[in-house]
Amino acid sequence: MSNRPSWDLGESAERCGVSRSTVRRYREQGKFPNAFKDSSGAWKIPLEDLLAVGWKPNAPAQSEPVSVPPEPVPERHNERVAELERALELERVKRESAERLNAQIQANLDDLRQAMKMIEAKPVSVPVSVPEPVKSLPTEPAPERLPEQPLEATEQPRKRRWWHR
């Protein structure tokens, strides 16, 4: 041990202008390699360890920085800020739109992947039943007309049906 002085945590903090908890944290982090416990069990920090971390004993305490009132902002800066805010809002809208489009594309891709899996899957053999032919009833032949004969006004042409009777 050197002949240089060493102080407990509270005295080291007071002399260096830092808080006691800062000194304790530094000791716990191992930044004071020569720190030791005295006979009463209190931690002692040697002067050389305090100097090694950049603290100067008996230095005035660090005070809060003095805040200087801001200078008035010129009108052109306000206009520029407003312009940038509008541009930022436009970019946000574009981003949200792109995210929605991306979500739709992802959903479409998922659907297409599922369809591809279904197409590429081995076909399952399903017995196919062949339907019996439908028995049709004989139909009456339509009366034949000569093309020269015009239809009478009361006579309607027969409607063709897609099924047979």
Side-chain angles (χ1 to χ4, degrees), residues 24-78:
R24 180 185 50 78
R25 274 194 315 273
Y26 272 49
R27 183 197 52 78
E28 289 172 354
Q29 293 172 358
K31 293 184 179 182
F32 302 134
N34 300 318
F36 62 94
K37 283 190 175 182
D38 65 2
S39 59
S40 66
W43 280 99
K44 295 287 189 171
I45 312 295
L47 175 62
E48 57 267 4
D49 284 356
L50 296 173
L51 294 172
V53 295
W55 294 347
K56 296 179 181 158
N58 300 325
Q62 296 174 348
S63 63
E64 292 291 320
V66 178
S67 62
V68 179
E71 296 180 21
V73 179
E75 184 62 31
R76 62 185 166 91
H77 290 315
N78 288 337

Side-chain angles (χ1 to χ4, degrees):
M1 190 162 85
S2 70
N3 295 336
R4 299 191 90 172
S6 59
W7 300 296
D8 63 22
L9 296 179
E11 193 175 1
S12 297
E14 184 180 327
R15 288 181 182 251
C16 295
V18 295
S19 70
R20 180 182 170 93
S21 61
T22 301
V23 176
R24 180 185 50 78
R25 274 194 315 273
Y26 272 49
R27 183 197 52 78
E28 289 172 354
Q29 293 172 358
K31 293 184 179 182
F32 302 134
N34 300 318
F36 62 94
K37 283 190 175 182
D38 65 2
S39 59
S40 66
W43 280 99
K44 295 287 189 171
I45 312 295
L47 175 62
E48 57 267 4
D49 284 356
L50 296 173
L51 294 172
V53 295
W55 294 347
K56 296 179 181 158
N58 300 325
Q62 296 174 348
S63 63
E64 292 291 320
V66 178
S67 62
V68 179
E71 296 180 21
V73 179
E75 184 62 31
R76 62 185 166 91
H77 290 315
N78 288 337
E79 292 170 0
R80 179 70 175 144
V81 168
E83 177 186 338
L84 291 173
E85 286 174 345
R86 286 189 300 273
L88 178 62
E89 185 59 31
L90 178 64
E91 292 301 317
R92 283 183 182 146
V93 169
K94 286 180 181 178
R95 179 185 50 99
E96 290 170 359
S97 175
E99 287 173 352
R100 281 193 304 272
L101 180 62
N102 186 31
Q104 290 174 347
I105 290 171
Q106 288 301 320
N108 191 15
L109 281 174
D110 292 341
D111 291 345
L112 291 173
R113 285 185 186 115
Q114 185 66 27
M116 285 299 295
K117 286 179 185 176
M118 292 169 66
I119 290 171
E120 292 173 348
K122 290 185 178 179
V124 177
S125 62
V126 177
V128 178
S129 62
V130 178
E132 292 183 24
V134 177
K135 295 180 182 178
S136 62
L137 298 174
T139 59
E140 292 181 20
E144 293 196 24
R145 297 180 185 248
L146 296 174
E148 302 89 39
Q149 293 179 333
L151 289 176
E152 295 180 17
T154 59
E155 200 176 314
Q156 294 288 331
R158 282 185 131 191
K159 290 186 180 178
R160 296 187 133 209
R161 297 188 178 158
W162 58 273
W163 71 91
H164 299 286
R165 288 189 183 189

